[in-house]
Amino acid sequence: DKHVTGVQTCALPIWTQALVKLGLSIGAEMEGSTHSSVRKALAAGCDGEEIRHAVFLAVTTLGFPSMMRGRAWVEDVLDRETSTQNDET
């Protein structure tokens, strides 16, 4: 359960920190940072649905085009992760 695992170094759980950093990366329009943030969110225990939800929250602040650009960057990593998992089975 991601709500109780990981080293707690501050008030926010590791998985929450990962999603916040993802939102910041998308807002700053940083593709490489967004890719890295998705990988870190997955490592922190977030699933694809939670990561996508965080991206969709950007629409009201950043606008539809920026959200869709961020979504494409997120899907780059999620698609790669799914492909890698399928290759392993």
Side-chain angles (χ1 to χ4, degrees), residues 4-70:
V4 295
T5 59
V7 176
Q8 187 69 35
T9 59
C10 68
L12 294 176
I14 301 298
W15 63 272
T16 303
Q17 293 176 44
L19 293 176
V20 168
K21 289 180 180 184
L22 173 62
L24 292 168
S25 296
I26 292 170
E29 299 181 354
M30 299 175 70
E31 183 176 3
S33 178
T34 300
H35 288 161
S36 177
S37 294
V38 173
R39 288 190 297 272
K40 289 178 181 178
L42 290 168
C46 296
D47 62 27
E49 182 178 342
E50 293 166 325
I51 292 169
R52 288 180 183 100
H53 187 161
V55 174
F56 293 143
L57 293 174
V59 74
T60 55
T61 304
L62 302 176
F64 188 76
S66 293
M67 183 274 296
M68 289 301 290
R69 181 174 38 252

